[in-house]
Amino acid sequence: MADIPVFFLHGLAYASLLFLVSSGLTLVFGLMNVLNFAHAALYMLGAYFSFSIFKITGHFWLSLLLCPLILFIIGALVEKFLLRRVHRHGHLHELLLTFGLAYIITELIKFFWGNYPLSIQLEGFLTESVTFFSINYPVYRLFIIACALVVGLLMYLVIYKTRAGIIVRAAVNDSQMVDALGINVQLVFMCVFAVGAALSGFAGVIAGPLLTTYPGMASDILIDAFVVIVIGGFGSLGGAMLSSIIIGELQSFGVLLFPSLALVLVYLLMAIVLIVKPSGLFGEEQ
Amino acid sequence: MIQRNPINLCLSAVFLCLFAVVIPLWFGPYQVTLVTEIIIFALYAVSYNLLLGHAGLLSFGHAMFFGTGAYTTAIALKHIGGLPIYGAILLSVIATTIIGLVIGGLLLRHKGSYFALLTLAFNALFYAIASKWYSITGGDDGLSISRPDLNLVFTTLNMSDITTFYFFTLICVGSVILFCWYFTHTAMGETVLLLRENEERMKFIGYNTNITRLILFTFTGALAGFAGSFYALFFEFASVSVISIDMTTTVLLMTFIGGSGAFGGPILGAIIFIYLQDFLSDITDRWPLIMGLIFILMVLYVPKGTSGIISMLKKRLFEGKQKHGQIDTGEQQI
């Protein structure tokens, strides 16, 4: 069992990707109370944009910079022209809208990029491996882990330590009051949704070289991200991080130890959490 | 709840029956196939709308019942020799009832977004099982079956004839749809409406809302399983597509196109959806995109669906009549 550290790192890399996806989902849910079913579709859109930018310019870093920006704009437009309109019809309609949006984005991707897998061949030091403690490990996976740590830290700092974070949290609690204090609440919500979309785009770019880019990648990660949120607790950033690691490691070691059961293990864990603590590990009681 | 005019209701029932009988006699087998599909999907959509429209529960996992129903029928017919057709259907209903009870027990403490998310996750579990458990479900290859003949006491009906199967479906599924309609008028059905409108109040009065919700969830699950069983019999095939998220999307589209506000909405939705799909798939391969756009436009601009438009038009047309004295019974919200 000399491979255990390697499998642990594999699990951690996947956990990092999961965290990048579910953190945006948690952000939007925690702050806007909107469960965005289109989140994974936006992530897939990020991956496809990244593929095209990489193909045209040949710079991975450029796509890492541009895709979140593009997704930010898309997210802002979606919030302004679609989500805001159905907000008054209530929760159900918001869910239905994002669900329909996910469906349309998937179909558009099939239309423009084709219904087959694409892969990105990176160049430079990201493709190499490093050796430490007698383990040879690809740099790219370590890079993913680093990205997740940075994003998690940044999100924590922005939400809890800055003025912008205070405004957003206040707007969630009492949007009318915040509005009366002279802050454009609509703009705040638009920004939150756009940041969530940008995060998903970022995750998509990161996922491109690790997994293949194909039209089913959204639904694959969406379910895992949902399980992360259920286990971690709704709207909790720390919970999302911890349960990402749990799910990542469970999948990684599950494949190693019980290959035929690996898929079911995650759901089993979810069912146990639902029975024992329905609100999730870090969730507040409803 | 819209109180219907009894004459109106009788007229539409007579019209529907005539329509259903005339179709196989007048048009060719292709139309019969389409209408059989419509009837099956109508029940599936009606069962979904009992959750969405009546109880206000948004589930993204209805396909797990539909798919389990289809798979149970296919597996039973494959492995149990000489199983009569109603035996297979009954097994499907039993299987989905059990699943509804178990999953419902796990999920129904949650509401709103959380419930929607969990149903989607559990649907994914069922999909994973169906695609990985190769020895039972046939994995991605699916299961091929053939419809057994229906053995009535005095005669045997040849089910491989599509017209015979159409009438079998019409009678069985049609009567279940009628039962659903009856259900919405029972005390239980009315309770479900109250659940949507004001759950706190219901708890206060002394109803156990969790039990009501569990019964409804299980009931709609069994109905979807019944529809799924007919789906497997109709296509003589069950594959992972019957249990995938696309099947949930389909029922959602039907319900929304037709309108979730009225009992007949999903039925109308199923008719529109199947014909539209038939029409669009001839023109373009990207018909799901058009369906998706229609769905989004519906959610944005016509949240009450086609049946909402129709009842609005009716109201406009008959507005003059109602002004002459009678009390407006058009839209009585409980």
Side-chain angles (χ1 to χ4, degrees), chain A residues 37 91 96 103 230 234 267 275 278, chain B residues 60 110 113-114 117 121 256 288:
Chain A
F37 276 89
H91 230 64
L96 287 167
Y103 188 69
V230 171
F234 249 135
Y267 293 103
I275 294 166
Chain B
F60 286 123
H110 303 286
S113 315
Y114 214 90
L117 178 158
F256 246 75

